[in-house]
Amino acid sequence: MKIAFIGLGAMGYPMARHLAKEHDVTVWNRTREKAERHGREHGTMVAAELADTAAAEVIITMLPTSKEVDEVVDQLLPHVRPGTLWIEATSGDPNVSRETAKRLEAKGVAFVDAPVTGAIVGAENATLTIMIGGTPEAFERAKQILRLNGKTLIHVGPVGAGHAIKVLTNSIMGATVWITSECLLLAKQLGIDMKTALEVTNAGSGRSNASENLLPMRLRDGKWPLVFKLAHHDKDIRIAASLSHQQHASTPMLALTQQLFSAALHQLDEGADYIEVAKIVARMNGTSWD
Ligand code: NDP
């Protein structure tokens, strides 16, 4: 199968590598040097121009937001061919993806939104969970490709459903990281050793990915590596909050989480990792994680 992969960032780079094991993959990246490196390292072809990617049978986008995807769609629309499948793997906005799907459908191109979860390690090890929105037929086609990137591929509904559930699960994670940080730091202020506080949390009903993995890893090593940009996480939670608003839903926890994450992003720099919100929680309490 001829596949074009657009966006060789932290996630896209390893994803395109796995696809190249079984397919004829052409890569395109805004910073061309990265695409050339991919070609050298993984035997992928490098598109001379973005428009050249339109010759593929499957086009995959893995970009920061739906805005960048829309710009790419604008450029490729005059060149796409009927019968192509477009897999939109960005964590995007379901409202935008539905419009994108309509624009592509008018050209005979099928569309699925297929955001992923599992972090960079999941992309590296091809163990991602991928939630896919689209017709059953498009889902089946996408599944044949994405099985090289993920272990769990779930058809979640029509176009837009993948993007919707992705931002909702990331919002759950965001709220969990925040409340876990608050309570662990309060435990510390109450004189309880942090390791003990974590041990009790993880042996009881307060445990979560935040308490079992995300925070302990950083506390153990004293390192706060960049694995998922806070700017991306903030974007996801803002999309979730806007969907809630659109539905006229009552989601005060989600609204608060969105406000807290946006505030944290203003306090930290653009390159901050999402778990660094825990540092802001510490700062709000005049304490630290040391
Ligand atoms: P990165 O920031 O690492 O990479 C972004 C990619 O988009 C790069 O290839 C970049 O090109 C390209 N890009 C940025 N702006 C433009 C533009 N205007 N036009 C064309 N290309 C552009 O992001 P990630 O790989 O971390 O994330 C990608 C998506 O996956 C996001 O939606 C994110 O929310 C989601 N995601 C990320 C996870 C993670 O752990 N990192 C986990 C799950 C989902 P260039 O090289 O030139 O900068």
Side-chain angles (χ1 to χ4, degrees), residues 6-15 28-32 34-35 50 61-69 71-72 75 88-92 115-121 123 128 166 170 226-229 231-233 235-236 273-274:
I6 299 171
L8 301 174
M11 298 298 284
Y13 200 94
M15 287 177 72
W28 182 88
N29 193 67
R30 180 180 61 173
T31 307
R32 192 178 164 81
K34 238 189 247 178
L50 179 59
T61 34
M62 190 46 151
L63 298 169
T65 73
S66 292
K67 180 176 172 289
E68 290 81 25
V69 176
E71 287 164 9
V72 166
Q75 291 188 60
E88 211 309 68
T90 308
S91 299
V116 308
T117 184
I120 298 171
V121 65
L128 294 168
K166 168 66 192 175
N170 266 16
L226 175 59
V227 294
F228 177 43
K229 287 177 189 156
H232 287 333
H233 201 175
K235 167 258 305 175
D236 291 347
D273 180 68
Y274 71 130

Side-chain angles (χ1 to χ4, degrees), residues 174-179 182 230 234 237-238 252-268 274 276-278 280-281 284:
T176 311
V177 168
W178 198 286
I179 186 71
E182 281 185 4
L230 175 58
D234 172 64
I237 301 174
R238 276 187 291 112
M253 283 292 291
L254 175 58
L256 182 59
T257 307
Q258 184 266 307
Q259 291 283 321
L260 291 170
F261 268 70
S262 289
L265 184 61
H266 290 302
Q267 299 290 315
L268 295 160
Y274 71 130
E276 288 187 67
V277 296
I280 299 300
V281 179
M284 285 165 75

Side-chain angles (χ1 to χ4, degrees), residues 59-261:
I59 299 171
I60 304 180
T61 34
M62 190 46 151
L63 298 169
T65 73
S66 292
K67 180 176 172 289
E68 290 81 25
V69 176
D70 238 11
E71 287 164 9
V72 166
V73 173
D74 286 345
Q75 291 188 60
L76 290 192
L77 212 52
H79 308 283
V80 288
R81 302 182 318 172
T84 303
L85 171 67
W86 193 303
I87 299 176
E88 211 309 68
T90 308
S91 299
D93 183 326
N95 292 317
V96 180
S97 46
R98 278 190 285 270
E99 289 307 312
T100 307
K102 276 188 216 155
R103 291 206 288 157
L104 290 167
E105 197 184 349
K107 294 274 186 171
V109 174
F111 176 95
V112 292
D113 45 315
V116 308
T117 184
I120 298 171
V121 65
E124 292 284 354
N125 297 333
T127 54
L128 294 168
T129 292
I130 309 181
M131 50 221 97
I132 303 174
T135 63
E137 299 75 33
F139 168 70
E140 285 305 324
R141 285 179 71 190
K143 200 171 145 185
Q144 292 316 311
I145 308 292
L146 295 174
R147 64 178 178 76
L148 293 170
N149 288 130
K151 277 197 168 157
T152 310
L153 281 72
I154 306 171
H155 187 205
V156 287
V159 167
H163 280 157
I165 191 66
K166 168 66 192 175
V167 296
L168 295 177
T169 58
N170 266 16
S171 300
I172 295 171
M173 176 173 65
T176 311
V177 168
W178 198 286
I179 186 71
T180 307
S181 299
E182 281 185 4
C183 291
L184 289 176
L185 288 163
L186 183 55
K188 179 186 166 187
Q189 287 169 309
L190 293 168
I192 300 166
D193 175 69
M194 188 69 81
K195 278 196 190 114
T196 308
L198 271 167
E199 193 184 338
V200 173
T201 302
N202 289 330
S205 50
R207 72 180 177 279
S208 66
N209 188 28
S211 67
E212 289 184 308
N213 303 307
L214 303 173
L215 289 165
M217 193 186 98
R218 281 146 180 102
L219 299 183
R220 188 177 53 236
D221 303 338
K223 290 190 183 126
W224 299 74
L226 175 59
V227 294
F228 177 43
K229 287 177 189 156
L230 175 58
H232 287 333
H233 201 175
D234 172 64
K235 167 258 305 175
D236 291 347
I237 301 174
R238 276 187 291 112
I239 295 171
S242 76
L243 295 177
S244 171
H245 186 71
Q246 196 181 311
Q247 287 297 313
H248 212 200
S250 174
T251 52
M253 283 292 291
L254 175 58
L256 182 59
T257 307
Q258 184 266 307
Q259 291 283 321
L260 291 170
F261 268 70

